[in-house]
Amino acid sequence: MRKLSLIAALSAFAVPAFAEDAALLMGVERYQNLRRVSNATDVLDGAQSLREAGYDVSTLSNGSSGDMARLLDRLAENATDADRLVVGLSGRFVTDGARSWLLAADTETPTYFGLANAVSIDSVLDVLANTPGQAVLILGYDLDSDSAIGSYLREGIGHLDIPQGVTVLYGEPNATDAVVVDAITVPGANIMAFVQDVRWLTADGFRPNRLVMQTENEDGAAPEAVDATLQFWTDAQQSDTADAYRDFALTYPDSRYAEEARRRLDEIENDPIRLAENAEDDLSLSRNGRRDIQRDLTLLDYDTRGVDGIFGPGSRRAIRNWQQSNGFAQTSFLTAEQINRIDAQASRRQAEIEAEEERAREETERLDRAYWEETGARGDLAGYRAYLNRYPEGMFADEAKDALAEDEVDQSTAAADIEAGLNINPVLARLIESRLAQMGFNPGRVDGRFDSDTRGAISRYQTRSGTAATGYLNEPTLARLLADTFGR
């Protein structure tokens, strides 16, 4: 059993409907947190043709997850009594390979466990299975995009478990309306032949030699001829540029597609988001240039979610937030002026940070120097130790360490002189080493020679005895050592 998403349950609390045929067209072009999908709302252009063909049609452009849920529930209810079902979905899709989803306009950056606000394509297929042989699902998306999203998801459509009798058509977003207008709703038109002829659609699932969704009129009238300008219109949509639409409208002013060409031309020339995107593209920013912008935005506390030279959702959100804070239109695309301003603001912020760091350094040095004046500068061992305890890596740490090391050398020399005055002969030396070994201080080999192991043992004995650990013997230490051992 397929696992249904929140939106794609397609079942409870539906609005009653009594039409025999149902259609649902949803396109998401503009996302709140993701990059737009050009021409994704074109799928809605077939709505009128479907209505004229007798379908109860629901449409939704750039819908939120809640709006999608309501229309999907309605479709699920209508499907139980329908003879024909047509669903067109266009926008940004994600898949884990086995399941696929259409993202709603208010979807956050998708994660494997964060797809509740998305349409399950598997669930839509379950609904279409109510009318086997007369069910068509049209999916419009960027066929060339399969970028990874995290460790488990990627863009696009994965493998679909298509029920018996359901036909699935894949194409670019700008190709989704033509199959509805020129095949699905045309009396007697063979959808399979149309798909084979245009070549910019791919069919999967139920693919008979002949699939007709709109039968001929009862009086036997021939189906309406396909517009002779269809191929040229298809070429214009594939180019999807202002020049392509302008040329088509001027060359074929009487074509049934001329008005749509003029509408799309106006959209391209006047859509502020698209204009901004094209303007940024014209800047031909290098990857290093994009990294510089991401570093600048991060320095200004606009989180780009990494500095990788790729303007993904995190970078676009950071740009949009910066634009809002600086009084620019929130397009999420940059102009040369804005890049220059970001760089200037970041340079100023960097200078401020460096100034703050310099002030902090000067204050640290001031406190360091003042502490030294009260401790180590007085030239006594206690002062040196007090300074190093507070500032082990301070400005005067080397001086304090050198003074203490020199004192240790002096003390060691004096201790060695005192021990030499004891005139310890080899016999007594072996006795001392033997006693140290008996007491567990590990003086090394008992050979009557005071090597580094012997000095260490003497030092450990002195530490336990509460005397200065010099590693050299004096008369009190020697007496106590012999007394301790003899007393055992």
Side-chain angles (χ1 to χ4, degrees), residues 355-437:
E356 291 169 0
E357 291 175 346
E358 179 62 20
R359 287 193 294 270
R361 186 188 63 80
E362 291 176 352
E363 177 63 12
T364 299
E365 288 187 358
R366 186 187 69 80
L367 295 175
D368 187 324
R369 192 178 301 277
Y371 200 82
W372 172 255
E373 292 297 330
E374 296 297 327
T375 55
R378 300 190 178 188
D380 57 82
L381 299 179
Y384 293 139
R385 294 191 181 96
Y387 176 81
L388 289 173
N389 186 54
R390 173 67 67 86
Y391 293 104
E393 302 298 331
M395 297 169 58
F396 306 97
D398 289 342
E399 183 177 344
K401 291 175 183 177
D402 289 344
L404 289 174
E406 184 178 348
D407 178 71
E408 289 177 358
V409 170
D410 291 342
Q411 289 185 20
S412 179
T413 300
D417 291 342
I418 291 173
E419 183 182 275
L422 297 177
N423 296 316
I424 298 174
N425 59 44
V427 175
L428 180 57
R430 282 194 295 272
L431 177 60
I432 292 169
E433 289 176 325
S434 178
R435 298 304 184 233
L436 287 169

Side-chain angles (χ1 to χ4, degrees), residues 4-10 64-66 68-69 72-73 104 116-120:
L4 305 183
S5 72
L6 174 65
I7 293 179
L10 311 179
S64 66
S65 56
M68 284 184 169
L72 289 165
D73 284 339
N117 292 342
V119 175
S120 168

Side-chain angles (χ1 to χ4, degrees), residues 40-82:
T41 56
D42 287 4
V43 68
L44 277 65
D45 294 343
Q48 186 57 36
S49 296
L50 286 166
R51 292 190 180 98
E52 292 173 356
Y55 290 81
D56 179 18
V57 183
S58 299
T59 63
L60 181 61
S61 172
N62 299 313
S64 66
S65 56
D67 293 334
M68 284 184 169
R70 285 189 288 274
L71 292 190
L72 289 165
D73 284 339
R74 179 179 179 183
L75 173 71
E77 184 68 17
N78 287 353
T80 60
D81 298 320

Side-chain angles (χ1 to χ4, degrees), residues 244 287 325 351:
R287 188 157 184 175
S325 299

